[in-house]
Amino acid sequence: MTTQLALANIAEMIQLQSWFVSAEQQQSWGGDNFDYPCSERRFLELLCRPGTQSYSLSDAHNGELLGFGQLCDRFERHHLARLVIRPQHRGKGLARVLIFELIIQALGQQRRDISLYVHRHNKIAVQCYSRLGFTASPPPEQENSRLYFMTLTAAEAISRANQYLAQI
């Protein structure tokens, strides 16, 4: 499957709402402040934070939305947030594609370390991020016992992104 990463549009962001079937799922992905259920307008307000760029990962052939992620500047790092793969496409390696495409996008702006938060109970995501080189690190703000703060150095991100690019 050939994919493409682009800035997300409003229609794609609204589509995301249907990917979550419970308050727990939506809050695990978006944060505790995400109301469930909520109106499209409220969903977009919560999703579109100042200083955050939203990206969609789509099938290059038919335009189907496959994944979504955000990039922002936090903790003097490129911070990945709200990463998600469309439920029916999980387990196909698309999380790796999404993350490396976001890392390439971020490093194209500035060479900096990469960070993200992940819920400790989300074993599949923790395992995915670990395989991609992220390591649990001390959090830069008051610790939330439900979350891991994970980082990837800029040098390691560049090395792994180059390996990714060589494989595609």
Side-chain angles (χ1 to χ4, degrees), residues 108-153:
Q109 297 170 13
Q110 185 178 11
R111 182 185 168 144
R112 294 168 74 170
D113 293 350
I114 312 289
S115 65
L116 57 83
Y117 277 110
V118 61
H119 278 262
R120 292 174 186 255
H121 69 79
N122 192 344
K123 305 283 188 216
I124 292 171
V126 171
Q127 188 176 52
C128 173
Y129 303 144
S130 295
R131 277 195 313 266
L132 299 179
F134 285 85
T135 56
S137 303
E141 55 191 7
Q142 183 176 350
E143 188 166 357
N144 180 332
S145 62
R146 295 177 299 146
L147 302 173
Y148 286 123
F149 180 71
M150 299 185 83
T151 59
L152 182 65
T153 66

Side-chain angles (χ1 to χ4, degrees), residues 38-158:
C38 64
S39 68
E40 286 180 358
R41 180 183 172 147
R42 176 73 176 144
F43 187 84
L44 290 172
E45 285 172 359
L46 293 167
L47 190 58
C48 298
R49 297 183 301 196
T52 300
Q53 294 176 306
S54 296
Y55 291 90
S56 62
L57 183 71
S58 300
D59 184 315
H61 297 296
N62 64 19
E64 179 185 10
L65 182 61
L66 303 171
F68 176 87
Q70 294 181 317
L71 270 178
C72 57
D73 180 22
R74 274 183 93 183
F75 320 118
E76 299 179 12
R77 297 176 172 92
H78 293 294
H79 189 76
L80 305 179
R82 297 182 174 148
L83 304 168
V84 65
I85 299 298
R86 185 181 206 117
Q88 56 268 44
H89 290 287
R90 292 178 185 161
K92 299 177 182 178
L94 290 171
R96 177 179 174 270
V97 172
L98 174 64
I99 291 164
F100 278 119
E101 291 293 334
L102 287 169
I103 287 172
I104 291 164
Q105 183 71 31
L107 293 174
Q109 297 170 13
Q110 185 178 11
R111 182 185 168 144
R112 294 168 74 170
D113 293 350
I114 312 289
S115 65
L116 57 83
Y117 277 110
V118 61
H119 278 262
R120 292 174 186 255
H121 69 79
N122 192 344
K123 305 283 188 216
I124 292 171
V126 171
Q127 188 176 52
C128 173
Y129 303 144
S130 295
R131 277 195 313 266
L132 299 179
F134 285 85
T135 56
S137 303
E141 55 191 7
Q142 183 176 350
E143 188 166 357
N144 180 332
S145 62
R146 295 177 299 146
L147 302 173
Y148 286 123
F149 180 71
M150 299 185 83
T151 59
L152 182 65
T153 66
E156 187 69 16
I158 290 167

